[in-house]
Amino acid sequence: MTEKDTTHFGYREVNKDEKAGLVAGVFDSVAQRYDLMNDLMSGGIHRLWKRFTIELSGVRPGHSVLDIAGGTGDLAAKFSRLVGEAGQVVLADINYAMLTVGRDKLLDHGLAENLAFVQADAQYLPFPDASFDCITIAFGLRNVTDKDQALGDMLRVLKPGGRLLVLEFSKPKNPLLSKAYDAYSFSVLPVMGRLVAGDSDSYRYLAESIRVHPDQDTLKGMMEDAGFARVEYHNMTGGVVALHRGVKA
């Protein structure tokens, strides 16, 4: 296999054709306990990261929003209330198990009228050009096989002036924080995954996938190369997480 034929699955080098199936296995395994594990892993701080994403989205009543890799629907629920009856939110995820959990949760909360649920690959979005005012992808880009292709397709389906927000784990700036974060990720998370979700391997993969994901400046450059303008990022929790924002000119 040549370098062009391979990609990362955690620390493993795998054929690009294999990655989607391997990632699907991870999320099939963790879907039912995903929300609980998010709260436990982050101490609930993930809710603050998502709230900041909402604040920077600029979403208003009547807007159309696409939440890619939307999983169990945390962002979609908030956007649904923001856009109101005149707007629409599409919750998209490549993984059927995650999409089902998200759909059932949002329907249970009575948020069906302005929501649509679509199983979709971020690299091949099944939407017309210039369809959305805002696109978000939270903790999903690192699982995409071809990130450049996905960013290009996100740009395609955004309306001119629309915003992309990428919320993702990134690289801590402080060496001491980075060391503590590594110890937590590789010692505590797999044990927590085994005890709570019955799956330590999937959470070991999630920790590895964060380490091979592009750092803040690299991702900023990738968004600019894809055609986004005014790209900026905001570090949160010392750079453990970063929110990148770009605009379609």
Side-chain angles (χ1 to χ4, degrees):
M1 289 189 294
T2 68
E3 185 177 344
K4 289 184 178 180
D5 296 325
T6 63
T7 188
H8 289 288
F9 177 73
Y11 287 157
R12 289 166 54 194
E13 196 82 8
V14 299
N15 191 298
K16 284 185 175 181
D17 294 338
E18 296 177 48
K19 180 167 179 174
L22 293 168
V23 171
V26 169
F27 287 96
D28 285 345
S29 174
V30 305
Q32 294 299 324
R33 294 296 182 96
Y34 186 78
D35 284 342
L36 175 59
M37 280 297 294
N38 274 353
D39 281 331
L40 291 173
M41 286 189 302
S42 71
I45 298 174
H46 74 97
R47 299 178 187 276
L48 299 178
W49 299 332
K50 291 170 182 172
R51 185 182 303 168
F52 186 60
T53 303
I54 298 286
E55 290 173 357
L56 263 65
S57 70
V59 168
R60 302 189 301 276
H63 274 182
S64 56
V65 179
L66 172 62
D67 184 23
I68 301 173
T72 56
D74 283 353
L75 287 176
K78 293 178 173 61
F79 282 131
S80 174
R81 296 183 178 98
L82 272 177
V83 303
E85 293 181 2
Q88 186 182 44
V89 178
V90 177
L91 171 58
D93 202 295
I94 194 173
N95 184 270
Y96 180 76
M98 292 289 288
L99 191 64
T100 300
V101 171
R103 181 194 63 201
D104 291 349
K105 184 172 78 172
L106 296 180
L107 292 178
D108 286 346
H109 284 82
L111 296 173
E113 293 196 3
N114 62 0
L115 276 163
F117 304 91
V118 177
Q119 187 173 5
D121 186 334
Q123 300 172 147
Y124 309 100
L125 295 170
F127 308 107
D129 295 358
S131 295
F132 298 98
D133 297 289
C134 180
I135 297 175
T136 54
I137 179 167
F139 307 114
L141 186 61
R142 71 181 188 279
N143 297 312
V144 174
T145 302
D146 190 329
K147 297 173 181 61
D148 293 317
Q149 181 173 327
L151 289 169
D153 219 33
M154 292 177 208
L155 185 77
R156 178 185 65 81
V157 302
L158 267 178
K159 298 176 183 178
R163 298 180 180 187
L164 168 66
L165 292 103
V166 180
L167 179 65
E168 188 56 90
F169 290 107
S170 201
K171 303 295 186 287
K173 295 302 183 182
N174 183 294
L176 291 177
L177 175 60
S178 183
K179 188 173 182 179
Y181 180 45
D182 283 346
Y184 173 76
S185 297
F186 291 103
S187 299
V188 178
L189 280 192
V191 174
M192 193 183 298
R194 176 172 55 82
L195 294 175
V196 176
D199 184 349
S200 60
D201 289 342
S202 289
Y203 284 93
R204 187 172 293 107
Y205 157 72
L206 292 175
E208 292 177 358
S209 69
I210 293 166
R211 275 41 184 208
V212 297
H213 183 68
D215 65 17
Q216 289 92 325
D217 289 318
T218 302
L219 181 54
K220 179 176 182 287
M222 290 169 65
M223 291 175 66
E224 290 169 340
D225 289 344
F228 286 95
R230 306 205 308 269
V231 180
E232 59 182 2
Y233 64 83
H234 303 267
N235 283 324
M236 294 180 279
T237 316
V240 169
V241 165
L243 175 63
H244 286 69
R245 180 175 63 175
V247 178
K248 181 173 181 177

